[in-house]
PDB file of all heavy atoms in Angstrom:
ATOM      1  N   LYS A 198     111.455  89.889  72.503  1.00  0.00           N
ATOM      2  CA  LYS A 198     112.824  90.449  72.622  1.00  0.00           C
ATOM      3  C   LYS A 198     113.940  89.413  72.694  1.00  0.00           C
ATOM      4  O   LYS A 198     115.060  89.731  72.352  1.00  0.00           O
ATOM      5  CB  LYS A 198     112.927  91.351  73.959  1.00  0.00           C
ATOM      6  CG  LYS A 198     112.033  92.620  73.912  1.00  0.00           C
ATOM      7  CD  LYS A 198     112.132  93.477  75.161  1.00  0.00           C
ATOM      8  CE  LYS A 198     111.353  94.686  75.053  1.00  0.00           C
ATOM      9  NZ  LYS A 198     111.450  95.505  76.233  1.00  0.00           N
ATOM     10  N   ASN A 199     113.604  88.167  72.979  1.00  0.00           N
ATOM     11  CA  ASN A 199     114.608  87.142  73.032  1.00  0.00           C
ATOM     12  C   ASN A 199     113.937  85.848  72.587  1.00  0.00           C
ATOM     13  O   ASN A 199     113.844  84.897  73.391  1.00  0.00           O
ATOM     14  CB  ASN A 199     115.189  87.029  74.394  1.00  0.00           C
ATOM     15  CG  ASN A 199     116.327  85.988  74.514  1.00  0.00           C
ATOM     16  OD1 ASN A 199     117.038  85.747  73.479  1.00  0.00           O
ATOM     17  ND2 ASN A 199     116.503  85.367  75.650  1.00  0.00           N
ATOM     18  N   PRO A 200     113.469  85.796  71.416  1.00  0.00           N
ATOM     19  CA  PRO A 200     112.723  84.649  70.943  1.00  0.00           C
ATOM     20  C   PRO A 200     113.543  83.398  70.702  1.00  0.00           C
ATOM     21  O   PRO A 200     114.802  83.495  70.430  1.00  0.00           O
ATOM     22  CB  PRO A 200     112.076  85.085  69.686  1.00  0.00           C
ATOM     23  CG  PRO A 200     113.010  86.058  69.128  1.00  0.00           C
ATOM     24  CD  PRO A 200     113.641  86.751  70.280  1.00  0.00           C
ATOM     25  N   LYS A 201     112.928  82.186  70.647  1.00  0.00           N
ATOM     26  CA  LYS A 201     113.606  80.971  70.258  1.00  0.00           C
ATOM     27  C   LYS A 201     113.087  80.489  68.923  1.00  0.00           C
ATOM     28  O   LYS A 201     112.043  80.902  68.501  1.00  0.00           O
ATOM     29  CB  LYS A 201     113.339  79.922  71.326  1.00  0.00           C
ATOM     30  CG  LYS A 201     113.722  80.260  72.792  1.00  0.00           C
ATOM     31  CD  LYS A 201     115.263  80.446  72.846  1.00  0.00           C
ATOM     32  CE  LYS A 201     115.672  80.704  74.308  1.00  0.00           C
ATOM     33  NZ  LYS A 201     117.183  81.034  74.408  1.00  0.00           N
ATOM     34  N   ILE A 202     113.886  79.700  68.266  1.00  0.00           N
ATOM     35  CA  ILE A 202     113.594  79.231  66.916  1.00  0.00           C
ATOM     36  C   ILE A 202     112.820  77.874  66.923  1.00  0.00           C
ATOM     37  O   ILE A 202     113.114  77.012  67.806  1.00  0.00           O
ATOM     38  CB  ILE A 202     114.877  79.030  66.126  1.00  0.00           C
ATOM     39  CG1 ILE A 202     115.642  80.287  65.870  1.00  0.00           C
ATOM     40  CG2 ILE A 202     114.610  78.307  64.747  1.00  0.00           C
ATOM     41  CD1 ILE A 202     116.966  80.188  65.356  1.00  0.00           C
ATOM     42  N   TYR A 203     111.784  77.739  66.128  1.00  0.00           N
ATOM     43  CA  TYR A 203     111.066  76.472  65.974  1.00  0.00           C
ATOM     44  C   TYR A 203     110.765  76.184  64.489  1.00  0.00           C
ATOM     45  O   TYR A 203     110.442  75.010  64.156  1.00  0.00           O
ATOM     46  CB  TYR A 203     109.848  76.376  66.752  1.00  0.00           C
ATOM     47  CG  TYR A 203     108.698  77.153  66.268  1.00  0.00           C
ATOM     48  CD1 TYR A 203     107.800  76.595  65.409  1.00  0.00           C
ATOM     49  CD2 TYR A 203     108.470  78.514  66.652  1.00  0.00           C
ATOM     50  CE1 TYR A 203     106.718  77.274  64.894  1.00  0.00           C
ATOM     51  CE2 TYR A 203     107.330  79.259  66.120  1.00  0.00           C
ATOM     52  CZ  TYR A 203     106.460  78.611  65.193  1.00  0.00           C
ATOM     53  OH  TYR A 203     105.433  79.328  64.783  1.00  0.00           O
ATOM     54  N   GLY A 204     110.843  77.152  63.640  1.00  0.00           N
ATOM     55  CA  GLY A 204     110.476  76.962  62.205  1.00  0.00           C
ATOM     56  C   GLY A 204     111.505  76.100  61.506  1.00  0.00           C
ATOM     57  O   GLY A 204     112.641  76.237  61.609  1.00  0.00           O
ATOM     58  N   ALA A 205     111.035  75.138  60.693  1.00  0.00           N
ATOM     59  CA  ALA A 205     111.829  74.182  59.978  1.00  0.00           C
ATOM     60  C   ALA A 205     112.766  74.850  58.977  1.00  0.00           C
ATOM     61  O   ALA A 205     113.922  74.419  58.800  1.00  0.00           O
ATOM     62  CB  ALA A 205     110.990  73.191  59.219  1.00  0.00           C
ATOM     63  N   GLY A 206     112.366  75.926  58.377  1.00  0.00           N
ATOM     64  CA  GLY A 206     113.258  76.615  57.424  1.00  0.00           C
ATOM     65  C   GLY A 206     114.471  77.242  58.093  1.00  0.00           C
ATOM     66  O   GLY A 206     115.586  77.237  57.587  1.00  0.00           O
ATOM     67  N   LEU A 207     114.298  77.699  59.362  1.00  0.00           N
ATOM     68  CA  LEU A 207     115.416  78.192  60.138  1.00  0.00           C
ATOM     69  C   LEU A 207     116.222  77.056  60.821  1.00  0.00           C
ATOM     70  O   LEU A 207     117.438  77.146  60.774  1.00  0.00           O
ATOM     71  CB  LEU A 207     114.912  79.127  61.242  1.00  0.00           C
ATOM     72  CG  LEU A 207     114.140  80.388  60.835  1.00  0.00           C
ATOM     73  CD1 LEU A 207     113.576  81.152  62.010  1.00  0.00           C
ATOM     74  CD2 LEU A 207     115.101  81.346  60.029  1.00  0.00           C
ATOM     75  N   LEU A 208     115.643  76.031  61.246  1.00  0.00           N
ATOM     76  CA  LEU A 208     116.264  74.883  61.854  1.00  0.00           C
ATOM     77  C   LEU A 208     117.164  74.188  60.838  1.00  0.00           C
ATOM     78  O   LEU A 208     118.024  73.374  61.228  1.00  0.00           O
ATOM     79  CB  LEU A 208     115.336  73.921  62.469  1.00  0.00           C
ATOM     80  CG  LEU A 208     114.584  74.450  63.753  1.00  0.00           C
ATOM     81  CD1 LEU A 208     113.598  73.388  64.221  1.00  0.00           C
ATOM     82  CD2 LEU A 208     115.552  74.772  64.851  1.00  0.00           C
ATOM     83  N   SER A 209     116.848  74.282  59.574  1.00  0.00           N
ATOM     84  CA  SER A 209     117.670  73.619  58.489  1.00  0.00           C
ATOM     85  C   SER A 209     118.533  74.599  57.679  1.00  0.00           C
ATOM     86  O   SER A 209     119.204  74.144  56.795  1.00  0.00           O
ATOM     87  CB  SER A 209     116.699  72.936  57.547  1.00  0.00           C
ATOM     88  OG  SER A 209     115.817  73.791  56.904  1.00  0.00           O
ATOM     89  N   SER A 210     118.541  75.820  58.075  1.00  0.00           N
ATOM     90  CA  SER A 210     119.396  76.814  57.334  1.00  0.00           C
ATOM     91  C   SER A 210     120.573  77.270  58.320  1.00  0.00           C
ATOM     92  O   SER A 210     120.313  78.004  59.254  1.00  0.00           O
ATOM     93  CB  SER A 210     118.540  77.988  56.945  1.00  0.00           C
ATOM     94  OG  SER A 210     119.405  78.972  56.364  1.00  0.00           O
ATOM     95  N   VAL A 211     121.757  76.859  57.963  1.00  0.00           N
ATOM     96  CA  VAL A 211     122.972  77.194  58.764  1.00  0.00           C
ATOM     97  C   VAL A 211     123.084  78.722  58.829  1.00  0.00           C
ATOM     98  O   VAL A 211     123.450  79.285  59.894  1.00  0.00           O
ATOM     99  CB  VAL A 211     124.196  76.506  58.283  1.00  0.00           C
ATOM    100  CG1 VAL A 211     125.374  77.097  58.986  1.00  0.00           C
ATOM    101  CG2 VAL A 211     124.052  75.048  58.411  1.00  0.00           C
ATOM    102  N   GLY A 212     122.871  79.395  57.782  1.00  0.00           N
ATOM    103  CA  GLY A 212     123.099  80.829  57.693  1.00  0.00           C
ATOM    104  C   GLY A 212     121.968  81.649  58.294  1.00  0.00           C
ATOM    105  O   GLY A 212     122.160  82.438  59.295  1.00  0.00           O
ATOM    106  N   GLU A 213     120.777  81.372  57.877  1.00  0.00           N
ATOM    107  CA  GLU A 213     119.567  82.280  58.294  1.00  0.00           C
ATOM    108  C   GLU A 213     119.220  82.006  59.688  1.00  0.00           C
ATOM    109  O   GLU A 213     118.781  82.921  60.383  1.00  0.00           O
ATOM    110  CB  GLU A 213     118.463  82.075  57.354  1.00  0.00           C
ATOM    111  CG  GLU A 213     117.340  83.112  57.584  1.00  0.00           C
ATOM    112  CD  GLU A 213     116.298  83.163  56.433  1.00  0.00           C
ATOM    113  OE1 GLU A 213     116.357  82.272  55.537  1.00  0.00           O
ATOM    114  OE2 GLU A 213     115.419  84.089  56.473  1.00  0.00           O
ATOM    115  N   SER A 214     119.538  80.839  60.233  1.00  0.00           N
ATOM    116  CA  SER A 214     119.217  80.599  61.708  1.00  0.00           C
ATOM    117  C   SER A 214     119.995  81.476  62.557  1.00  0.00           C
ATOM    118  O   SER A 214     119.540  81.960  63.614  1.00  0.00           O
ATOM    119  CB  SER A 214     119.426  79.137  61.994  1.00  0.00           C
ATOM    120  OG  SER A 214     120.771  78.817  61.818  1.00  0.00           O
ATOM    121  N   GLU A 215     121.248  81.829  62.112  1.00  0.00           N
ATOM    122  CA  GLU A 215     122.077  82.725  62.959  1.00  0.00           C
ATOM    123  C   GLU A 215     121.602  84.165  62.625  1.00  0.00           C
ATOM    124  O   GLU A 215     121.547  84.982  63.558  1.00  0.00           O
ATOM    125  CB  GLU A 215     123.552  82.451  62.472  1.00  0.00           C
ATOM    126  CG  GLU A 215     124.544  83.212  63.310  1.00  0.00           C
ATOM    127  CD  GLU A 215     125.951  82.776  63.075  1.00  0.00           C
ATOM    128  OE1 GLU A 215     126.198  82.262  61.917  1.00  0.00           O
ATOM    129  OE2 GLU A 215     126.804  83.003  63.871  1.00  0.00           O
ATOM    130  N   ASN A 216     121.430  84.498  61.291  1.00  0.00           N
ATOM    131  CA  ASN A 216     121.132  85.858  60.935  1.00  0.00           C
ATOM    132  C   ASN A 216     119.711  86.334  61.503  1.00  0.00           C
ATOM    133  O   ASN A 216     119.563  87.597  61.809  1.00  0.00           O
ATOM    134  CB  ASN A 216     121.056  86.029  59.429  1.00  0.00           C
ATOM    135  CG  ASN A 216     122.450  85.675  58.779  1.00  0.00           C
ATOM    136  OD1 ASN A 216     123.492  85.768  59.468  1.00  0.00           O
ATOM    137  ND2 ASN A 216     122.397  85.272  57.547  1.00  0.00           N
TER     138      ASN A 216
END
Side-chain angles (χ1 to χ4, degrees):
K198 293 183 179 180
N199 184 30
K201 302 297 183 183
I202 295 168
Y203 75 90
L207 296 173
L208 292 175
S209 59
S210 174
V211 172
E213 193 164 4
S214 60
E215 191 174 19
N216 299 336

